[in-house]
């Protein structure tokens, strides 16, 4: 197959951490041609989506003393070609959030790929429909107590009632902007004002889950089925477990409760064309559904001696 990845600039990616590189390596190892482009390099010409594509050859990372090690020159790219994206068998949208207006425009361009010729993962319409915080709200039995509001009085009353809470910007990523709120904190009003931009933008408020100290579990779903998990554990004085803010990763199993949550999500994810997804679970509660560029594959592979990327490629190759 010809598989294109819409990514951030490749020179900025970490081959020992980024899931996009793990998927690209897996595609190459399975004999597929791997191409890359970026969201600003997409166009619509004659009613078809085009991209400035470059074929890439990767030198796969090696596992040395429990760590992924990459060559200094770990990729080589060919010259740029302007090609219709429907010449690809698969297009992966792997641009990192936040989902800005230019990001949304890129998904509109991708709507002009002929779905009869090319599979797009994840669906542009699905990505637009699935804010990574808000999407979880439809699974009421799976999530903790949650409100979404930009009203300071509503948020304050909720925090006072719960005692403690976590505030999340709706467009955040990698733990950015997440705050721990506590009843009686003299800074509470100021934190809410800053986070809501003086009441202009809603934020998510979730009851604080003490189990967060034991880790924030990332589960990777492929076509609704869980294929791997990793636990991200806060370190030092940091209450967030995200890898981007220094969370320690550890091997972990998927519990019966978590399997049940995956079963609750699967039909909706499949309906919305969200086939490669990372969900976050704390203490048996779903907290986020990550659909833009979910990560964690490198860590799962390293800790469990598996290759999730190969499973993804095998699934794509099915008739």
């Amino acid at each position: 197959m010809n598989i294109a990845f819409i990514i951030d600039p490749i020179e900025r990616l970490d081959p020992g951490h980024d899931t996009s590189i793990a998927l690209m390596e897996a595609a190459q190892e399975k004999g597929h041609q791997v191409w890359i482009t970026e969201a600003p390099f997409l166009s619509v010409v004659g009613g078809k989506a085009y991209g400035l594509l470059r074929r890439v050859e990767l030198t796969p990372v090696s596992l040395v003393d429990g760590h992924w090690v990459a060559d200094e020159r770990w990729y080589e790219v060919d010259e740029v070609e302007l090609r219709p994206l429907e010449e690809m068998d698969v297009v992966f949208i792997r641009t990192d959030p936040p989902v800005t207006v230019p990001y949304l425009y890129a998904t509109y361009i991708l709507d002009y790929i002929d779905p009869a010729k090319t599979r797009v993962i994840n669906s542009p319409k699905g990505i637009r429909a699935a804010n990574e915080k808000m999407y979880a709200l439809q699974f009421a039995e799976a999530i903790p107590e949650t409100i979404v509001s930009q009203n300071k009085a509503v948020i304050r009353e909720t925090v006072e009632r719960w005692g403690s809470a976590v505030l999340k910007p709706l467009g955040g990523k990698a733990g950015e902007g997440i705050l721990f709120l506590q009843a009686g904190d003299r800074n509470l009003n100021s934190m809410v004002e800053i986070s809501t931009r003086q009441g202009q933008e809603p934020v998510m408020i979730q009851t604080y889950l003490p189990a967060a100290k034991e880790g924030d579990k990332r589960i990777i779903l492929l076509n609704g089925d869980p294929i791997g998990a990793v636990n991200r554990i806060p370190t030092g004085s940091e209450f967030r477990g995200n890898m981007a803010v220094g969370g320690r990763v550890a091997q972990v199993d998927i519990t019966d409760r978590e399997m049940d949550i995956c079963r609750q999500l699967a039909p909706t994810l499949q309906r919305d064309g969200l086939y490669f997804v990372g969900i976050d679970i704390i203490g048996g509660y779903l907290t986020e559904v990550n659909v833009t560029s979910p990560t964690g594959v490198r860590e799962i592979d390293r800790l469990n001696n598996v290759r999730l990327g190969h499973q993804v490629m095998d699934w794509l190759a099915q008739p």
Side-chain angles (χ1 to χ4, degrees):
M1 294 187 291
N2 282 290
I3 304 179
F5 291 82
I6 303 168
I7 55 174
D8 296 303
I10 192 169
E11 65 272 12
R12 299 212 303 249
L13 301 186
D14 178 355
H17 167 68
D18 280 295
T19 291
S20 296
I21 304 303
L23 293 171
M24 291 159 62
E25 284 182 6
Q28 180 177 288
E29 290 165 357
K30 290 287 186 176
H32 308 306
Q33 299 291 315
V34 179
W35 303 76
I36 59 172
T37 188
E38 299 170 29
F41 302 156
L42 304 177
S43 306
V44 176
V45 180
K48 294 183 179 182
Y50 278 71
L52 292 172
L53 294 163
R54 294 180 293 170
R55 207 169 81 77
V56 62
E57 287 280 349
L58 302 161
T59 300
V61 297
S62 302
L63 193 59
V64 179
D65 296 328
H67 298 280
W68 293 118
V69 176
D71 284 2
E72 186 175 351
R73 293 177 61 87
W74 56 273
Y75 69 92
E76 298 284 348
V77 291
D78 291 344
E79 294 298 316
V80 171
E81 301 178 35
L82 178 64
R83 298 182 59 173
L85 289 173
E86 66 184 38
E87 291 182 359
M88 300 291 112
D89 297 285
V90 182
V91 172
F92 271 94
I93 309 173
R94 294 283 308 172
T95 304
D96 282 345
V99 179
T100 58
V101 170
Y103 196 125
L104 287 174
Y105 289 162
T107 69
Y108 289 130
I109 292 173
L110 294 172
D111 283 338
Y112 288 88
I113 296 175
D114 185 348
K117 296 180 179 179
T118 303
R119 180 180 292 183
V120 182
I121 299 174
N122 287 313
S123 159
K125 293 182 177 66
I127 290 175
R128 291 196 295 270
N131 174 275
E132 296 187 328
K133 307 296 189 295
M134 295 287 291
Y135 195 77
L137 293 178
Q138 61 193 297
F139 307 104
E141 295 180 5
I143 63 172
E145 286 189 274
T146 303
I147 70 163
V148 175
S149 180
Q150 58 202 48
N151 186 286
K152 183 167 61 178
V154 170
I155 295 171
R156 186 177 186 92
E157 187 277 331
T158 299
V159 175
E160 296 290 345
R161 178 160 43 88
W162 291 349
S164 57
V166 173
L167 180 152
K168 298 179 179 181
L170 295 183
K173 64 178 179 67
E176 294 174 356
I178 295 179
L179 298 173
F180 176 76
L181 306 180
Q182 196 158 22
D185 186 341
R186 290 183 293 178
N187 291 310
L188 179 59
N189 283 342
S190 292
M191 289 192 286
V192 172
E193 289 162 2
I194 293 168
S195 297
T196 63
R197 301 184 187 275
Q198 302 295 330
Q200 298 304 302
E201 292 184 11
V203 294
M204 175 173 281
I205 309 293
Q206 290 184 326
T207 186
Y208 175 68
L209 299 170
K213 298 174 183 176
E214 301 164 10
D216 180 351
K217 190 178 296 189
R218 164 62 54 85
I219 299 176
I220 299 295
L221 303 182
L222 178 62
N223 195 28
D225 294 325
I227 59 173
V230 63
N231 201 22
R232 302 165 299 175
I233 304 168
T235 57
S237 59
E238 178 62 72
F239 81 95
R240 298 169 297 176
N242 306 73
M243 290 180 280
V245 296
R248 176 174 63 86
V249 297
Q251 189 176 28
V252 71
D253 294 324
I254 300 174
T255 67
D256 290 342
R257 161 68 174 170
E258 291 157 355
M259 288 293 295
D260 182 61
I261 290 173
C262 294
R263 284 189 288 268
Q264 292 180 48
L265 269 63
T268 305
L269 295 174
Q270 292 165 342
R271 179 200 69 195
D272 292 340
L274 301 172
Y275 298 114
F276 188 78
V277 170
I279 64 172
D280 296 340
I281 294 182
I282 297 175
Y285 289 99
L286 175 70
T287 59
E288 291 186 24
V289 181
N290 298 274
V291 302
T292 51
S293 60
T295 191
V297 163
R298 282 296 199 209
E299 290 71 26
I300 295 168
D301 284 355
R302 173 172 62 83
L303 293 168
N304 296 278
N305 192 29
V306 295
R307 293 294 182 271
L308 296 191
H310 287 199
Q311 293 186 44
V312 174
M313 296 306 141
D314 289 344
W315 175 73
L316 287 173
Q318 294 175 5

